[in-house]
Amino acid sequence: MPNKGDHMKFETLSVIGLGYIGLPTAATFASRGLKVIGVDVNQKAVDTINSGGIHIIEPDLDIVVRSVVQSGNLRATTKPEPADAFIVAVPTPFKEDKQPDLKYIEAAAKAIAPVLKKGNLVILESTSPVGATEQMAAWLAEARPDLSFPQQAGEDADVCVAHCPERVLPGKVLVELVNNDRVIGGMTPKCSRAAVSLYKLFVQGECVVTNARTAEMCKLTENSFRDVNIAFANELSMICEKLQINVWELISLANRHPRVNVLQPGPGVGGHCIAVDPWFIVASAPDEARLIATARQVNDRKPDWVVSRVRNVAASLAKPKPVVACLGLSFKADIDDLRESPAVEVTKKLSACKEVDVIAVEPHVVDVVKWVPEVPVVSLDDAIHAADIILLLVDHKCFDGITIPDGKVAIDTRGRLGLPRRESTD
Ligand code: SAJ
């Protein structure tokens, strides 16, 4: 139960990192009346936000940002300023050897340390390997020997530190930020209570308290759970291809069992979360995390399997150099995000094959040519007209119900061609 005595009052908040998570979080706090200072190293992003615009695509985010910038509740800058609380929402990529790279958290800690004061709360929101919050607190303590931190002073620390991972789905960020339950992992119970009182300013879901290490592992577990289950579906799709069984029909039949819920196969797993986070578990326990590592490998190999399937079909056609139309390049349906996209990987690998010509369709991304300079990007109608092989890589709404003209071959990595739009499967 929260102790009334240590409930914190927040008037100002600083959000470090104004990307896919930091900006919606900053804007949502600002919309609840907090004075929010957003900090980002990218001057262009800072200028865009200060002019009331956004540099990422997320439904309704533009409206919220414009309104909180106009009301004066959100302001962006490149240099950290003092505040009552700090939220660190910077990327946590992995290195070449799949070991987590905490350099952005370290840079954020070193940037905010000079402006910290007694009574502050510092929250790490970035998805992080177990131990990262303690490491961040150690960097803060090193930079500010005049202040005490939870690892030194426990409940009496001058500065509270917690890990509160985000778990919002791209495309539904503003809704999930408010409605999802939130895991709050303070370095001490007092740190947890402070973080709960901050998030309760807008979170309507439950704020569930644990410690920092469990909160870190919880986020990694959620994304690994999804990765392992998608790997199962992807493996099934490859088995079914060999056994000449329609995997989509198979899965829908199996899912009629009351305790079975197989996910959907696809061309691979993309995005910057599910394809990355499981490696953080593997890096901390390589001997034990065998299933998690194998799932990553199964999903990572799926784009190559799709490429070889297309090549086999191409070889069976009478034409010397068939045209392959790749429909969709983003990492999942109806978003503009191409990061770690298996569709991009498949398209690029196919375009490197001499025996086919490749064209692509991606209506959601403006500067798509930058991502696949080697491939002509055309309209859906032109692609279907020109193609011999129509390869569905992303189940965008705008591809629903397309008909495949006679004489053309369809390869459907999402099980959607010719079907009406299904309701959200999230
Ligand atoms: N995918 C499939 N088959 C499926 C579901 C997904 O192939 O049945 C593919 C998608 O096409 C995509 C990839 O997996 O390439 C990831 O998509 P996603 O919708 O599963 O997840 P993300 O990366 O958009 O967001 C995930 C979410 N995590 C979980 O659902 C456990 C989200 O809640 C997290 O906040 C987010 O990662 C994150 O930031 O970590």
Side-chain angles (χ1 to χ4, degrees), residues 21 127 166-170 176 219 222-223 226 230 263-266 268-271 273-274 277 331-332 342 414 426:
I21 300 303
T127 304
E166 61 75 21
R167 50 205 335 207
V168 291
L169 197 72
E176 292 208 351
K219 170 65 199 238
E222 291 159 17
N223 280 354
R226 195 144 167 98
I230 299 169
L263 292 183
Q264 300 297 307
V269 168
C273 308
I274 295 192
D277 303 351
F331 86 80
K332 66 178 191 176
R414 299 279 184 177
D426 301 332

Side-chain angles (χ1 to χ4, degrees), residues 244-275:
Q244 296 167 17
I245 289 169
N246 180 326
V247 70
W248 317 103
E249 183 192 1
L250 173 81
I251 290 173
S252 77
L253 292 173
N255 284 351
R256 283 174 178 259
H257 186 288
R259 283 173 298 284
V260 173
N261 185 14
V262 181
L263 292 183
Q264 300 297 307
V269 168
H272 36 100
C273 308
I274 295 192

Side-chain angles (χ1 to χ4, degrees), residues 15-32:
V15 177
I16 317 298
L18 297 173
Y20 281 81
I21 300 303
L23 182 56
T25 303
T28 305
F29 273 113
S31 74
R32 300 301 193 271

